[in-house]
Amino acid sequence: QTEVLVRINPVSSDESWQEDIESGFEGADGFMIPKVETKQELIMLDELLSEMEGKMVFNKNIPPKVLLPIATETPTAVLNIADIAKGPRVCAITWGCEDLSAELGSYDTREEDSGKYLHVFRHCQNMCLLAAKAAGVQAIDGIFQNIR
């Protein structure tokens, strides 16, 4: 069975993420959450979703919405990744290096000659795997970006 996750705007940004949840609520199985930095953000989302699910009087058999945080897009997120993976409703965590690269002021994410991720990004990939395993959720690898 295919699951549908709606990517919302970062919770740390403006209020548009709430509109994203409201507009995608009925057709989505869950939400992909970019730039998550703390478990507290996921707790806030859980409370909002619980409130919305509680208002669904007609179909109580719909399972609770799941959350998929992108857990390595800021330095703070990387340092909190184990806690983020244990957040409410988290079904999996994923990682990415593009936003983190910009946060760090790095021009590259890979070694030029070998194509391997730079050490800091390999560390993030490994932390995502370890945090997911420790929390009992899935680890989803990031995209392979090769744009010239």
Side-chain angles (χ1 to χ4, degrees), residues 30-66:
F31 298 92
M32 178 178 268
I33 318 299
K35 296 192 187 254
V36 173
E37 290 192 319
T38 67
K39 183 178 178 179
Q40 195 60 35
E41 293 171 62
L42 300 174
I43 291 170
M44 180 181 62
L45 286 167
D46 174 52
E47 291 169 355
L48 174 66
L49 291 170
S50 292
E51 181 181 318
M52 292 175 75
E53 289 163 347
K55 292 178 182 176
M56 296 181 64
V57 291
F58 294 112
N59 195 346
K60 295 287 185 183
N61 294 328
I62 296 175
K65 307 294 184 195
V66 297

PDB file of all heavy atoms in Angstrom, residues 30-66:
ATOM      1  N   GLY A  30       0.602  11.227   6.460  1.00  0.00           N
ATOM      2  CA  GLY A  30       1.503  11.889   7.389  1.00  0.00           C
ATOM      3  C   GLY A  30       2.169  13.071   6.728  1.00  0.00           C
ATOM      4  O   GLY A  30       1.809  13.475   5.615  1.00  0.00           O
ATOM      5  N   PHE A  31       3.190  13.591   7.410  1.00  0.00           N
ATOM      6  CA  PHE A  31       3.844  14.814   6.963  1.00  0.00           C
ATOM      7  C   PHE A  31       5.360  14.691   7.060  1.00  0.00           C
ATOM      8  O   PHE A  31       5.883  14.148   8.028  1.00  0.00           O
ATOM      9  CB  PHE A  31       3.364  16.001   7.804  1.00  0.00           C
ATOM     10  CG  PHE A  31       1.887  16.237   7.668  1.00  0.00           C
ATOM     11  CD1 PHE A  31       0.983  15.646   8.541  1.00  0.00           C
ATOM     12  CD2 PHE A  31       1.398  17.012   6.631  1.00  0.00           C
ATOM     13  CE1 PHE A  31      -0.376  15.832   8.395  1.00  0.00           C
ATOM     14  CE2 PHE A  31       0.027  17.198   6.474  1.00  0.00           C
ATOM     15  CZ  PHE A  31      -0.855  16.612   7.356  1.00  0.00           C
ATOM     16  N   MET A  32       6.022  15.201   6.026  1.00  0.00           N
ATOM     17  CA  MET A  32       7.479  15.308   6.035  1.00  0.00           C
ATOM     18  C   MET A  32       7.813  16.684   6.601  1.00  0.00           C
ATOM     19  O   MET A  32       7.298  17.695   6.135  1.00  0.00           O
ATOM     20  CB  MET A  32       8.056  15.150   4.629  1.00  0.00           C
ATOM     21  CG  MET A  32       9.564  15.302   4.584  1.00  0.00           C
ATOM     22  SD  MET A  32      10.227  15.055   2.925  1.00  0.00           S
ATOM     23  CE  MET A  32      10.567  13.308   3.024  1.00  0.00           C
ATOM     24  N   ILE A  33       8.663  16.702   7.609  1.00  0.00           N
ATOM     25  CA  ILE A  33       8.955  17.924   8.340  1.00  0.00           C
ATOM     26  C   ILE A  33      10.402  18.343   8.093  1.00  0.00           C
ATOM     27  O   ILE A  33      11.329  17.717   8.604  1.00  0.00           O
ATOM     28  CB  ILE A  33       8.747  17.729   9.862  1.00  0.00           C
ATOM     29  CG1 ILE A  33       7.483  16.925  10.168  1.00  0.00           C
ATOM     30  CG2 ILE A  33       8.771  19.066  10.583  1.00  0.00           C
ATOM     31  CD1 ILE A  33       6.207  17.539   9.694  1.00  0.00           C
ATOM     32  N   PRO A  34      10.629  19.414   7.323  1.00  0.00           N
ATOM     33  CA  PRO A  34      12.000  19.872   7.080  1.00  0.00           C
ATOM     34  C   PRO A  34      12.531  20.720   8.242  1.00  0.00           C
ATOM     35  O   PRO A  34      11.761  21.286   9.016  1.00  0.00           O
ATOM     36  CB  PRO A  34      11.857  20.718   5.817  1.00  0.00           C
ATOM     37  CG  PRO A  34      10.468  21.262   5.899  1.00  0.00           C
ATOM     38  CD  PRO A  34       9.645  20.178   6.565  1.00  0.00           C
ATOM     39  N   LYS A  35      13.834  20.771   8.333  1.00  0.00           N
ATOM     40  CA  LYS A  35      14.557  21.634   9.281  1.00  0.00           C
ATOM     41  C   LYS A  35      14.112  21.478  10.730  1.00  0.00           C
ATOM     42  O   LYS A  35      14.118  22.432  11.503  1.00  0.00           O
ATOM     43  CB  LYS A  35      14.468  23.086   8.845  1.00  0.00           C
ATOM     44  CG  LYS A  35      15.167  23.324   7.511  1.00  0.00           C
ATOM     45  CD  LYS A  35      15.325  24.791   7.222  1.00  0.00           C
ATOM     46  CE  LYS A  35      15.854  24.976   5.832  1.00  0.00           C
ATOM     47  NZ  LYS A  35      17.218  25.357   5.752  1.00  0.00           N
ATOM     48  N   VAL A  36      13.748  20.266  11.111  1.00  0.00           N
ATOM     49  CA  VAL A  36      13.423  20.005  12.514  1.00  0.00           C
ATOM     50  C   VAL A  36      14.697  20.143  13.329  1.00  0.00           C
ATOM     51  O   VAL A  36      15.732  19.575  12.972  1.00  0.00           O
ATOM     52  CB  VAL A  36      12.841  18.583  12.685  1.00  0.00           C
ATOM     53  CG1 VAL A  36      12.665  18.249  14.150  1.00  0.00           C
ATOM     54  CG2 VAL A  36      11.538  18.445  11.938  1.00  0.00           C
ATOM     55  N   GLU A  37      14.626  20.883  14.412  1.00  0.00           N
ATOM     56  CA  GLU A  37      15.803  21.056  15.265  1.00  0.00           C
ATOM     57  C   GLU A  37      15.653  20.419  16.637  1.00  0.00           C
ATOM     58  O   GLU A  37      16.653  20.108  17.277  1.00  0.00           O
ATOM     59  CB  GLU A  37      16.131  22.536  15.422  1.00  0.00           C
ATOM     60  CG  GLU A  37      16.657  23.157  14.142  1.00  0.00           C
ATOM     61  CD  GLU A  37      17.262  24.532  14.353  1.00  0.00           C
ATOM     62  OE1 GLU A  37      16.693  25.322  15.128  1.00  0.00           O
ATOM     63  OE2 GLU A  37      18.313  24.787  13.739  1.00  0.00           O
ATOM     64  N   THR A  38      14.415  20.253  17.100  1.00  0.00           N
ATOM     65  CA  THR A  38      14.207  19.703  18.440  1.00  0.00           C
ATOM     66  C   THR A  38      13.000  18.781  18.471  1.00  0.00           C
ATOM     67  O   THR A  38      12.085  18.888  17.649  1.00  0.00           O
ATOM     68  CB  THR A  38      13.963  20.827  19.476  1.00  0.00           C
ATOM     69  OG1 THR A  38      12.719  21.463  19.187  1.00  0.00           O
ATOM     70  CG2 THR A  38      15.098  21.845  19.485  1.00  0.00           C
ATOM     71  N   LYS A  39      12.997  17.918  19.455  1.00  0.00           N
ATOM     72  CA  LYS A  39      11.852  17.042  19.692  1.00  0.00           C
ATOM     73  C   LYS A  39      10.624  17.869  20.059  1.00  0.00           C
ATOM     74  O   LYS A  39       9.487  17.482  19.761  1.00  0.00           O
ATOM     75  CB  LYS A  39      12.202  16.063  20.823  1.00  0.00           C
ATOM     76  CG  LYS A  39      11.149  15.042  21.130  1.00  0.00           C
ATOM     77  CD  LYS A  39      11.653  14.118  22.234  1.00  0.00           C
ATOM     78  CE  LYS A  39      10.637  13.096  22.626  1.00  0.00           C
ATOM     79  NZ  LYS A  39      11.171  12.204  23.683  1.00  0.00           N
ATOM     80  N   GLN A  40      10.832  19.024  20.674  1.00  0.00           N
ATOM     81  CA  GLN A  40       9.728  19.892  21.085  1.00  0.00           C
ATOM     82  C   GLN A  40       8.863  20.308  19.891  1.00  0.00           C
ATOM     83  O   GLN A  40       7.651  20.410  20.005  1.00  0.00           O
ATOM     84  CB  GLN A  40      10.270  21.118  21.823  1.00  0.00           C
ATOM     85  CG  GLN A  40       9.207  21.862  22.591  1.00  0.00           C
ATOM     86  CD  GLN A  40       8.545  20.995  23.661  1.00  0.00           C
ATOM     87  OE1 GLN A  40       9.161  20.142  24.285  1.00  0.00           O
ATOM     88  NE2 GLN A  40       7.249  21.202  23.853  1.00  0.00           N
ATOM     89  N   GLU A  41       9.491  20.534  18.741  1.00  0.00           N
ATOM     90  CA  GLU A  41       8.726  20.870  17.535  1.00  0.00           C
ATOM     91  C   GLU A  41       7.776  19.727  17.160  1.00  0.00           C
ATOM     92  O   GLU A  41       6.644  19.956  16.743  1.00  0.00           O
ATOM     93  CB  GLU A  41       9.666  21.168  16.370  1.00  0.00           C
ATOM     94  CG  GLU A  41      10.483  22.428  16.542  1.00  0.00           C
ATOM     95  CD  GLU A  41      11.542  22.564  15.465  1.00  0.00           C
ATOM     96  OE1 GLU A  41      11.170  22.662  14.285  1.00  0.00           O
ATOM     97  OE2 GLU A  41      12.741  22.566  15.819  1.00  0.00           O
ATOM     98  N   LEU A  42       8.254  18.497  17.308  1.00  0.00           N
ATOM     99  CA  LEU A  42       7.431  17.328  16.983  1.00  0.00           C
ATOM    100  C   LEU A  42       6.309  17.150  17.994  1.00  0.00           C
ATOM    101  O   LEU A  42       5.205  16.739  17.638  1.00  0.00           O
ATOM    102  CB  LEU A  42       8.298  16.077  16.906  1.00  0.00           C
ATOM    103  CG  LEU A  42       9.410  16.125  15.851  1.00  0.00           C
ATOM    104  CD1 LEU A  42      10.305  14.901  15.965  1.00  0.00           C
ATOM    105  CD2 LEU A  42       8.839  16.257  14.458  1.00  0.00           C
ATOM    106  N   ILE A  43       6.575  17.475  19.245  1.00  0.00           N
ATOM    107  CA  ILE A  43       5.536  17.413  20.279  1.00  0.00           C
ATOM    108  C   ILE A  43       4.425  18.413  19.950  1.00  0.00           C
ATOM    109  O   ILE A  43       3.238  18.109  20.060  1.00  0.00           O
ATOM    110  CB  ILE A  43       6.134  17.653  21.678  1.00  0.00           C
ATOM    111  CG1 ILE A  43       7.023  16.461  22.068  1.00  0.00           C
ATOM    112  CG2 ILE A  43       5.045  17.906  22.720  1.00  0.00           C
ATOM    113  CD1 ILE A  43       7.859  16.675  23.314  1.00  0.00           C
ATOM    114  N   MET A  44       4.817  19.609  19.510  1.00  0.00           N
ATOM    115  CA  MET A  44       3.838  20.618  19.126  1.00  0.00           C
ATOM    116  C   MET A  44       2.981  20.129  17.951  1.00  0.00           C
ATOM    117  O   MET A  44       1.764  20.278  17.947  1.00  0.00           O
ATOM    118  CB  MET A  44       4.548  21.921  18.751  1.00  0.00           C
ATOM    119  CG  MET A  44       3.613  23.039  18.346  1.00  0.00           C
ATOM    120  SD  MET A  44       4.479  24.540  17.893  1.00  0.00           S
ATOM    121  CE  MET A  44       5.425  23.982  16.480  1.00  0.00           C
ATOM    122  N   LEU A  45       3.621  19.501  16.958  1.00  0.00           N
ATOM    123  CA  LEU A  45       2.881  18.948  15.815  1.00  0.00           C
ATOM    124  C   LEU A  45       1.947  17.827  16.258  1.00  0.00           C
ATOM    125  O   LEU A  45       0.814  17.730  15.790  1.00  0.00           O
ATOM    126  CB  LEU A  45       3.851  18.446  14.751  1.00  0.00           C
ATOM    127  CG  LEU A  45       4.559  19.516  13.940  1.00  0.00           C
ATOM    128  CD1 LEU A  45       5.701  18.908  13.148  1.00  0.00           C
ATOM    129  CD2 LEU A  45       3.585  20.207  13.024  1.00  0.00           C
ATOM    130  N   ASP A  46       2.430  16.990  17.144  1.00  0.00           N
ATOM    131  CA  ASP A  46       1.608  15.892  17.665  1.00  0.00           C
ATOM    132  C   ASP A  46       0.351  16.428  18.337  1.00  0.00           C
ATOM    133  O   ASP A  46      -0.750  15.907  18.121  1.00  0.00           O
ATOM    134  CB  ASP A  46       2.437  15.063  18.658  1.00  0.00           C
ATOM    135  CG  ASP A  46       1.615  14.004  19.352  1.00  0.00           C
ATOM    136  OD1 ASP A  46       0.935  13.211  18.666  1.00  0.00           O
ATOM    137  OD2 ASP A  46       1.646  13.961  20.597  1.00  0.00           O
ATOM    138  N   GLU A  47       0.502  17.478  19.122  1.00  0.00           N
ATOM    139  CA  GLU A  47      -0.655  18.066  19.805  1.00  0.00           C
ATOM    140  C   GLU A  47      -1.654  18.629  18.799  1.00  0.00           C
ATOM    141  O   GLU A  47      -2.867  18.429  18.945  1.00  0.00           O
ATOM    142  CB  GLU A  47      -0.194  19.144  20.790  1.00  0.00           C
ATOM    143  CG  GLU A  47       0.554  18.560  21.980  1.00  0.00           C
ATOM    144  CD  GLU A  47       1.249  19.598  22.836  1.00  0.00           C
ATOM    145  OE1 GLU A  47       1.259  20.806  22.475  1.00  0.00           O
ATOM    146  OE2 GLU A  47       1.807  19.203  23.883  1.00  0.00           O
ATOM    147  N   LEU A  48      -1.163  19.315  17.777  1.00  0.00           N
ATOM    148  CA  LEU A  48      -2.040  19.860  16.749  1.00  0.00           C
ATOM    149  C   LEU A  48      -2.766  18.746  16.000  1.00  0.00           C
ATOM    150  O   LEU A  48      -3.980  18.801  15.786  1.00  0.00           O
ATOM    151  CB  LEU A  48      -1.255  20.729  15.768  1.00  0.00           C
ATOM    152  CG  LEU A  48      -2.038  21.253  14.564  1.00  0.00           C
ATOM    153  CD1 LEU A  48      -3.127  22.228  15.007  1.00  0.00           C
ATOM    154  CD2 LEU A  48      -1.105  21.912  13.570  1.00  0.00           C
ATOM    155  N   LEU A  49      -2.030  17.720  15.599  1.00  0.00           N
ATOM    156  CA  LEU A  49      -2.637  16.606  14.864  1.00  0.00           C
ATOM    157  C   LEU A  49      -3.651  15.858  15.727  1.00  0.00           C
ATOM    158  O   LEU A  49      -4.713  15.463  15.239  1.00  0.00           O
ATOM    159  CB  LEU A  49      -1.558  15.659  14.343  1.00  0.00           C
ATOM    160  CG  LEU A  49      -0.680  16.226  13.222  1.00  0.00           C
ATOM    161  CD1 LEU A  49       0.497  15.297  12.956  1.00  0.00           C
ATOM    162  CD2 LEU A  49      -1.484  16.455  11.961  1.00  0.00           C
ATOM    163  N   SER A  50      -3.344  15.673  16.990  1.00  0.00           N
ATOM    164  CA  SER A  50      -4.290  15.000  17.895  1.00  0.00           C
ATOM    165  C   SER A  50      -5.584  15.792  17.991  1.00  0.00           C
ATOM    166  O   SER A  50      -6.682  15.213  17.990  1.00  0.00           O
ATOM    167  CB  SER A  50      -3.678  14.838  19.294  1.00  0.00           C
ATOM    168  OG  SER A  50      -2.606  13.931  19.259  1.00  0.00           O
ATOM    169  N   GLU A  51      -5.459  17.103  18.066  1.00  0.00           N
ATOM    170  CA  GLU A  51      -6.652  17.959  18.119  1.00  0.00           C
ATOM    171  C   GLU A  51      -7.464  17.829  16.829  1.00  0.00           C
ATOM    172  O   GLU A  51      -8.692  17.679  16.871  1.00  0.00           O
ATOM    173  CB  GLU A  51      -6.221  19.410  18.324  1.00  0.00           C
ATOM    174  CG  GLU A  51      -7.362  20.387  18.426  1.00  0.00           C
ATOM    175  CD  GLU A  51      -6.863  21.811  18.595  1.00  0.00           C
ATOM    176  OE1 GLU A  51      -5.913  22.025  19.360  1.00  0.00           O
ATOM    177  OE2 GLU A  51      -7.439  22.705  17.941  1.00  0.00           O
ATOM    178  N   MET A  52      -6.780  17.861  15.687  1.00  0.00           N
ATOM    179  CA  MET A  52      -7.479  17.745  14.400  1.00  0.00           C
ATOM    180  C   MET A  52      -8.126  16.375  14.245  1.00  0.00           C
ATOM    181  O   MET A  52      -9.255  16.256  13.771  1.00  0.00           O
ATOM    182  CB  MET A  52      -6.509  18.023  13.253  1.00  0.00           C
ATOM    183  CG  MET A  52      -6.042  19.467  13.203  1.00  0.00           C
ATOM    184  SD  MET A  52      -4.781  19.751  11.940  1.00  0.00           S
ATOM    185  CE  MET A  52      -5.807  19.727  10.462  1.00  0.00           C
ATOM    186  N   GLU A  53      -7.408  15.323  14.648  1.00  0.00           N
ATOM    187  CA  GLU A  53      -7.955  13.962  14.543  1.00  0.00           C
ATOM    188  C   GLU A  53      -9.151  13.782  15.470  1.00  0.00           C
ATOM    189  O   GLU A  53     -10.104  13.072  15.139  1.00  0.00           O
ATOM    190  CB  GLU A  53      -6.862  12.939  14.869  1.00  0.00           C
ATOM    191  CG  GLU A  53      -5.812  12.856  13.790  1.00  0.00           C
ATOM    192  CD  GLU A  53      -4.517  12.188  14.220  1.00  0.00           C
ATOM    193  OE1 GLU A  53      -4.290  11.989  15.440  1.00  0.00           O
ATOM    194  OE2 GLU A  53      -3.715  11.872  13.329  1.00  0.00           O
ATOM    195  N   GLY A  54      -9.128  14.454  16.617  1.00  0.00           N
ATOM    196  CA  GLY A  54     -10.235  14.374  17.560  1.00  0.00           C
ATOM    197  C   GLY A  54     -11.514  14.982  17.020  1.00  0.00           C
ATOM    198  O   GLY A  54     -12.615  14.624  17.446  1.00  0.00           O
ATOM    199  N   LYS A  55     -11.386  15.897  16.079  1.00  0.00           N
ATOM    200  CA  LYS A  55     -12.555  16.545  15.483  1.00  0.00           C
ATOM    201  C   LYS A  55     -13.179  15.724  14.364  1.00  0.00           C
ATOM    202  O   LYS A  55     -14.221  16.083  13.835  1.00  0.00           O
ATOM    203  CB  LYS A  55     -12.170  17.926  14.951  1.00  0.00           C
ATOM    204  CG  LYS A  55     -11.817  18.909  16.047  1.00  0.00           C
ATOM    205  CD  LYS A  55     -11.396  20.236  15.471  1.00  0.00           C
ATOM    206  CE  LYS A  55     -11.005  21.197  16.581  1.00  0.00           C
ATOM    207  NZ  LYS A  55     -10.503  22.464  16.053  1.00  0.00           N
ATOM    208  N   MET A  56     -12.536  14.641  13.983  1.00  0.00           N
ATOM    209  CA  MET A  56     -13.055  13.795  12.897  1.00  0.00           C
ATOM    210  C   MET A  56     -14.114  12.854  13.465  1.00  0.00           C
ATOM    211  O   MET A  56     -13.798  11.773  13.942  1.00  0.00           O
ATOM    212  CB  MET A  56     -11.921  13.016  12.239  1.00  0.00           C
ATOM    213  CG  MET A  56     -10.901  13.892  11.549  1.00  0.00           C
ATOM    214  SD  MET A  56      -9.605  12.934  10.756  1.00  0.00           S
ATOM    215  CE  MET A  56     -10.545  12.066   9.539  1.00  0.00           C
ATOM    216  N   VAL A  57     -15.346  13.276  13.420  1.00  0.00           N
ATOM    217  CA  VAL A  57     -16.430  12.499  14.023  1.00  0.00           C
ATOM    218  C   VAL A  57     -16.951  11.382  13.129  1.00  0.00           C
ATOM    219  O   VAL A  57     -17.495  10.399  13.613  1.00  0.00           O
ATOM    220  CB  VAL A  57     -17.605  13.420  14.431  1.00  0.00           C
ATOM    221  CG1 VAL A  57     -17.207  14.300  15.578  1.00  0.00           C
ATOM    222  CG2 VAL A  57     -18.089  14.236  13.248  1.00  0.00           C
ATOM    223  N   PHE A  58     -16.760  11.509  11.824  1.00  0.00           N
ATOM    224  CA  PHE A  58     -17.359  10.540  10.917  1.00  0.00           C
ATOM    225  C   PHE A  58     -16.532   9.277  10.734  1.00  0.00           C
ATOM    226  O   PHE A  58     -17.075   8.203  10.589  1.00  0.00           O
ATOM    227  CB  PHE A  58     -17.624  11.173   9.543  1.00  0.00           C
ATOM    228  CG  PHE A  58     -18.657  12.253   9.616  1.00  0.00           C
ATOM    229  CD1 PHE A  58     -18.319  13.573   9.408  1.00  0.00           C
ATOM    230  CD2 PHE A  58     -19.978  11.942   9.921  1.00  0.00           C
ATOM    231  CE1 PHE A  58     -19.271  14.563   9.491  1.00  0.00           C
ATOM    232  CE2 PHE A  58     -20.938  12.927  10.005  1.00  0.00           C
ATOM    233  CZ  PHE A  58     -20.588  14.249   9.794  1.00  0.00           C
ATOM    234  N   ASN A  59     -15.222   9.393  10.710  1.00  0.00           N
ATOM    235  CA  ASN A  59     -14.398   8.224  10.426  1.00  0.00           C
ATOM    236  C   ASN A  59     -13.318   8.075  11.488  1.00  0.00           C
ATOM    237  O   ASN A  59     -12.217   8.583  11.357  1.00  0.00           O
ATOM    238  CB  ASN A  59     -13.772   8.335   9.030  1.00  0.00           C
ATOM    239  CG  ASN A  59     -13.224   7.016   8.559  1.00  0.00           C
ATOM    240  OD1 ASN A  59     -13.062   6.079   9.340  1.00  0.00           O
ATOM    241  ND2 ASN A  59     -12.927   6.932   7.283  1.00  0.00           N
ATOM    242  N   LYS A  60     -13.635   7.353  12.530  1.00  0.00           N
ATOM    243  CA  LYS A  60     -12.694   7.151  13.638  1.00  0.00           C
ATOM    244  C   LYS A  60     -11.686   6.038  13.352  1.00  0.00           C
ATOM    245  O   LYS A  60     -10.800   5.798  14.141  1.00  0.00           O
ATOM    246  CB  LYS A  60     -13.460   6.825  14.926  1.00  0.00           C
ATOM    247  CG  LYS A  60     -14.327   7.950  15.418  1.00  0.00           C
ATOM    248  CD  LYS A  60     -13.479   9.044  16.014  1.00  0.00           C
ATOM    249  CE  LYS A  60     -14.357  10.119  16.625  1.00  0.00           C
ATOM    250  NZ  LYS A  60     -13.616  11.215  17.156  1.00  0.00           N
ATOM    251  N   ASN A  61     -11.831   5.328  12.210  1.00  0.00           N
ATOM    252  CA  ASN A  61     -10.935   4.222  11.905  1.00  0.00           C
ATOM    253  C   ASN A  61      -9.694   4.646  11.133  1.00  0.00           C
ATOM    254  O   ASN A  61      -8.906   3.812  10.726  1.00  0.00           O
ATOM    255  CB  ASN A  61     -11.684   3.140  11.115  1.00  0.00           C
ATOM    256  CG  ASN A  61     -12.759   2.491  11.959  1.00  0.00           C
ATOM    257  OD1 ASN A  61     -12.618   2.365  13.165  1.00  0.00           O
ATOM    258  ND2 ASN A  61     -13.847   2.096  11.331  1.00  0.00           N
ATOM    259  N   ILE A  62      -9.526   5.923  10.915  1.00  0.00           N
ATOM    260  CA  ILE A  62      -8.338   6.413  10.213  1.00  0.00           C
ATOM    261  C   ILE A  62      -7.165   6.400  11.189  1.00  0.00           C
ATOM    262  O   ILE A  62      -7.264   6.935  12.297  1.00  0.00           O
ATOM    263  CB  ILE A  62      -8.570   7.838   9.668  1.00  0.00           C
ATOM    264  CG1 ILE A  62      -9.684   7.812   8.616  1.00  0.00           C
ATOM    265  CG2 ILE A  62      -7.293   8.418   9.098  1.00  0.00           C
ATOM    266  CD1 ILE A  62     -10.074   9.180   8.097  1.00  0.00           C
ATOM    267  N   PRO A  63      -6.066   5.772  10.796  1.00  0.00           N
ATOM    268  CA  PRO A  63      -4.915   5.729  11.710  1.00  0.00           C
ATOM    269  C   PRO A  63      -4.330   7.119  11.924  1.00  0.00           C
ATOM    270  O   PRO A  63      -4.469   8.000  11.070  1.00  0.00           O
ATOM    271  CB  PRO A  63      -3.917   4.814  10.986  1.00  0.00           C
ATOM    272  CG  PRO A  63      -4.365   4.744   9.582  1.00  0.00           C
ATOM    273  CD  PRO A  63      -5.819   5.083   9.542  1.00  0.00           C
ATOM    274  N   PRO A  64      -3.644   7.326  13.046  1.00  0.00           N
ATOM    275  CA  PRO A  64      -3.018   8.626  13.308  1.00  0.00           C
ATOM    276  C   PRO A  64      -1.985   8.962  12.230  1.00  0.00           C
ATOM    277  O   PRO A  64      -1.335   8.074  11.670  1.00  0.00           O
ATOM    278  CB  PRO A  64      -2.338   8.431  14.659  1.00  0.00           C
ATOM    279  CG  PRO A  64      -2.965   7.229  15.260  1.00  0.00           C
ATOM    280  CD  PRO A  64      -3.439   6.382  14.122  1.00  0.00           C
ATOM    281  N   LYS A  65      -1.857  10.231  11.946  1.00  0.00           N
ATOM    282  CA  LYS A  65      -0.866  10.700  10.962  1.00  0.00           C
ATOM    283  C   LYS A  65       0.539  10.455  11.515  1.00  0.00           C
ATOM    284  O   LYS A  65       0.774  10.561  12.714  1.00  0.00           O
ATOM    285  CB  LYS A  65      -1.035  12.188  10.687  1.00  0.00           C
ATOM    286  CG  LYS A  65      -2.432  12.612  10.282  1.00  0.00           C
ATOM    287  CD  LYS A  65      -2.842  12.051   8.950  1.00  0.00           C
ATOM    288  CE  LYS A  65      -4.207  12.586   8.538  1.00  0.00           C
ATOM    289  NZ  LYS A  65      -4.794  11.849   7.467  1.00  0.00           N
ATOM    290  N   VAL A  66       1.464  10.127  10.614  1.00  0.00           N
ATOM    291  CA  VAL A  66       2.854   9.908  11.003  1.00  0.00           C
ATOM    292  C   VAL A  66       3.691  11.136  10.624  1.00  0.00           C
ATOM    293  O   VAL A  66       3.274  11.969   9.823  1.00  0.00           O
ATOM    294  CB  VAL A  66       3.442   8.639  10.340  1.00  0.00           C
ATOM    295  CG1 VAL A  66       2.700   7.397  10.813  1.00  0.00           C
ATOM    296  CG2 VAL A  66       3.442   8.748   8.827  1.00  0.00           C
TER     297      VAL A  66
END
